[in-house]
Amino acid sequence: MVENEKQEQAAKPKHPVIAAYNKASLIKKIIIGLVIGVILALLIPQDAPDWALEIGSVISLLGTLFVSALRAVAPILVFFLVISALMNAKAAGSMKMVIVLYIGSTLVAAAVAVIASFIFPIDLTLAVADDVKQESPSGIGEVLSSIVMNIVANPVDALTNANFIGILSWAIVLGIALRKVSTNVKDVFSAISDAVSTVVRWVINLAPFGIMGLVYTSVSESGVEIFVEYGQLILLLVGVMLIIALVTNPIMVFACTKQNPYPLVFRCLKDSGITAFFTRSSAANIPINMELCRKLGLDKDNYSVSIPLGATINMAGAAITITIMTMAAVHTVGLTIDPITAVILCVLAAVSACGASGVAGGSLLLIPLACSLFGMDTTVAMEVVAIGFIIGVIQDSCETALNSSSDVLFTATAEYAKMRKEGREYHLGKDTFSLDEVK
């Protein structure tokens, strides 16, 4: 008893500053880091003295280290979580509904983006960026082929290169193959999974410093004026993403749960969307989403599979970006779009979005794929990609926030829907999986 008390005392931080930091709300700390990052960016512009720029490089390094740490731990976390979940899984759970919600939301997002582009057509001033020299997919077959090849990739190579489709496929295979092993073996994998999750919590606890560095880098290098010329395009992109986040997604949640969806929607946007906005990486935000699902009290057997799966196929934001940028290019070159072609574009954008990488700017190189539907010249398509990189500070941030936050939203929705089907009482704001009770 005395020994346990000593261990508990040793585990507590001795310095009052550390204790106060750990006690404070993560969201509040992130906001403070954001404000400090903006202030530092204004105080240390690009033409500042060399000694000031040296300080700025150290601040930027904090953001780089944070994102790198998340990206480094995410593949290992997904690999062991999925294996452990499938080894100990007792039933299929709500995974089928999660996948239906993922795909349905992506298709709806593409359709809304097409409609919005018809209502608010945008003509672009095209100018090719000199540094945009990346290859893009040549057709839908190439995207599907890439997905298949990623599934059968070498598992070591998949972990090394953060190929989440390959990681998922091997984790699923190994998790199923290990279902009949002894309890001791299962306990080992569970222990490793818990240990990696603990490391993730340590990294997440340092998020305010990382976000301070990320915001400083974005504001000091790009500045607000970079978005003036493409303000209309940004407003259209962000507007459609807000419609999906605050209108269509809540409608889907309500249809499944028959409860007010907004407490859950706002919780996911606050805890997952804000962080994803600054990291600009669905893959890097996987640990954040895992932690949020744990706080919401969701079934680990489900979310340890659905969250990394969502980072690869739940790409409503990417579908919006691909669709709107393609439609803008079409309007710019004066092409006419008939309703059937518009429907095909929706499906193509949704399928392409599922093949987008879960890293910053992952959807932009799929724009030429959608442009090829209209026989558009590759040079024009790449000019649109260049514009995508220019507005990426806002576009990609909002896109990732929508993608990543909806991973948790639909995972929770599927679980609530399962409870409803089984006749179990629940309420999105007051009961077992209550948002009010989660600290």
Side-chain angles (χ1 to χ4, degrees):
M1 188 67 154
V2 176
E3 184 178 350
N4 290 336
E5 291 179 357
K6 290 182 178 180
Q7 291 177 350
E8 291 178 0
Q9 290 295 330
K12 294 181 180 179
K14 297 180 180 180
H15 200 286
V17 175
I18 298 177
Y21 178 85
N22 290 334
K23 186 177 180 180
S25 166
L26 180 61
I27 298 300
K28 293 179 181 179
K29 291 186 289 188
I30 287 176
I31 294 175
I32 293 173
L34 187 158
V35 173
I36 294 175
V38 172
I39 294 173
L40 290 173
L42 297 176
L43 292 176
I44 310 177
Q46 292 295 303
D47 57 352
D50 291 342
W51 64 268
L53 293 178
E54 288 294 330
I55 296 175
S57 64
V58 174
I59 299 171
S60 296
L61 182 61
L62 294 175
T64 303
L65 289 174
F66 175 63
V67 175
S68 297
L70 285 175
R71 288 178 177 170
V73 74
I76 302 174
L77 176 70
V78 170
F79 187 68
F80 284 104
L81 275 180
V82 173
I83 290 178
S84 178
L86 291 178
M87 286 175 66
N88 298 283
K90 298 178 181 179
S94 51
M95 192 56 57
K96 182 178 179 181
M97 177 171 285
V98 172
I99 295 174
V100 171
L101 290 171
Y102 283 169
I103 297 175
S105 175
T106 304
L107 283 169
V108 169
V112 173
V114 168
I115 294 171
S117 295
F118 274 123
I119 298 175
F120 304 103
I122 294 178
D123 291 333
L124 301 175
T125 301
L126 301 179
V128 178
D130 295 333
D131 57 345
V132 179
K133 298 179 180 179
Q134 304 180 55
E135 296 181 358
S136 58
S138 60
I140 190 66
E142 184 175 337
V143 174
L144 296 176
S145 176
S146 176
I147 293 175
V148 172
M149 293 306 297
N150 283 335
I151 290 175
V152 297
N154 182 290
V156 177
D157 181 72
L159 284 168
T160 303
N161 297 308
N163 169 15
F164 283 93
I165 295 179
I167 292 170
L168 274 173
S169 64
W170 279 104
I172 290 171
V173 170
L174 290 173
I176 295 174
L178 291 169
R179 284 178 62 85
K180 296 183 179 180
V181 299
S182 65
T183 303
N184 291 335
V185 175
K186 292 182 179 180
D187 290 342
V188 170
F189 277 90
S190 296
I192 296 175
S193 175
D194 292 340
V196 177
S197 297
T198 300
V199 174
V200 169
R201 294 190 190 105
W202 293 344
V203 174
I204 293 174
N205 198 38
L206 298 175
F209 297 99
I211 288 176
M212 179 183 69
L214 292 169
V215 171
Y216 168 80
T217 302
S218 297
V219 175
S220 63
E221 291 184 357
S222 300
V224 180
E225 66 277 0
I226 196 173
F227 304 111
V228 174
E229 184 177 357
Y230 304 110
Q232 287 183 327
L233 184 59
I234 293 172
L235 287 175
L236 182 59
L237 284 164
V238 175
V240 174
M241 291 179 190
L242 287 175
I243 290 174
I244 299 302
L246 301 178
V247 180
T248 62
N249 280 356
I251 289 174
M252 294 175 68
V253 174
F254 176 78
C256 295
T257 63
K258 306 303 180 184
Q259 296 282 346
N260 176 15
Y262 286 100
L264 182 61
V265 169
F266 291 140
R267 180 61 187 271
C268 292
L269 288 173
K270 183 184 75 170
D271 283 18
S272 174
I274 291 177
T275 308
F277 181 90
F278 292 106
T279 61
R280 299 170 63 195
S281 170
S282 296
N285 213 51
I286 287 175
I288 307 289
N289 285 348
M290 293 283 195
E291 177 68 7
L292 176 55
C293 287
R294 185 190 67 82
K295 290 180 179 179
L296 290 175
L298 302 180
D299 188 346
K300 188 176 181 180
D301 287 348
N302 287 330
Y303 72 72
S304 60
V305 177
S306 66
I307 294 301
L309 181 65
T312 59
I313 70 170
N314 183 31
M315 292 291 181
I320 292 170
T321 297
I322 294 169
T323 302
I324 288 181
M325 298 295 282
T326 301
M327 292 289 287
V330 168
H331 287 302
T332 300
V333 298
L335 295 178
T336 303
I337 306 176
D338 58 82
I340 297 178
T341 306
V343 172
I344 296 175
L345 175 61
C346 292
V347 177
L348 180 62
V351 174
S352 301
C354 292
S357 61
V359 298
S363 62
L364 294 177
L365 291 180
L366 291 167
I367 293 172
L369 170 60
C371 288
S372 67
L373 177 65
F374 303 95
M376 200 173 298
D377 186 83
T378 305
T379 303
V380 175
M382 290 309 298
E383 289 178 355
V384 178
V385 173
I387 293 175
F389 281 107
I390 293 174
I391 67 172
V393 175
I394 291 180
Q395 166 269 322
D396 197 40
S397 296
C398 294
E399 173 187 316
T400 308
L402 173 61
N403 290 342
S404 194
S405 62
S406 60
D407 291 348
V408 182
L409 177 68
F410 292 137
T411 296
T413 298
E415 192 153 330
Y416 291 130
K418 181 184 177 185
M419 294 173 64
R420 174 173 172 265
K421 185 177 180 181
E422 294 173 351
R424 295 156 59 191
E425 294 184 0
Y426 69 98
H427 196 287
L428 296 188
K430 296 181 179 179
D431 220 10
T432 305
F433 299 95
S434 167
L435 303 180
D436 297 334
E437 295 176 3
V438 176
K439 304 298 182 183

